[in-house]
Amino acid sequence: MLHKIAGTYCKSIWNILGLMCGFSIGLNCFEKGLSISHIGTIVVNHEAKIGENCRLHVCVNIGTGSPQIGNNVYIGPGAKIFGKIRIANGIKIGANAVVNKDFYQEGKTIVGVPAKYIE
């Protein structure tokens, strides 16, 4: 019984802090090392799985479909990521990119609507 009360309390605090900072981030989506560069609108679906040392900027939306994002991924301002997709380790996602397909090449940069690799 006590653990249910504690869990409810923690979720309430999590939601209040999210409202204060403009975040809506599901619990346990991120591994260690998350970096959020600015206070502002960030939405992360509770089914998404994001690896270690991810850096997020303002107005990022990681939406439905359970995206799986690797380690050391940079997600630029305004990026939208959705669908049942996988993103490799070390990918850099440019500002306002719309990512709706898999990207398997590690350490590359993707930009555009829809997103694609650049050299």
Side-chain angles (χ1 to χ4, degrees), residues 74-97:
Y74 169 90
I75 303 175
K80 310 297 182 252
I81 303 167
F82 59 92
K84 191 174 179 97
I85 63 170
R86 291 180 180 260
I87 297 174
N89 296 331
I91 293 273
K92 293 171 279 310
I93 301 172
N96 296 315

Side-chain angles (χ1 to χ4, degrees), residues 41-61:
T41 307
I42 295 175
V43 177
V44 180
N45 185 304
H46 69 280
E47 294 178 351
K49 297 294 177 204
I50 298 97
E52 297 179 358
N53 305 316
C54 179
R55 181 163 174 88
L56 293 178
H57 282 269
V58 69
C59 295
V60 167
N61 187 331

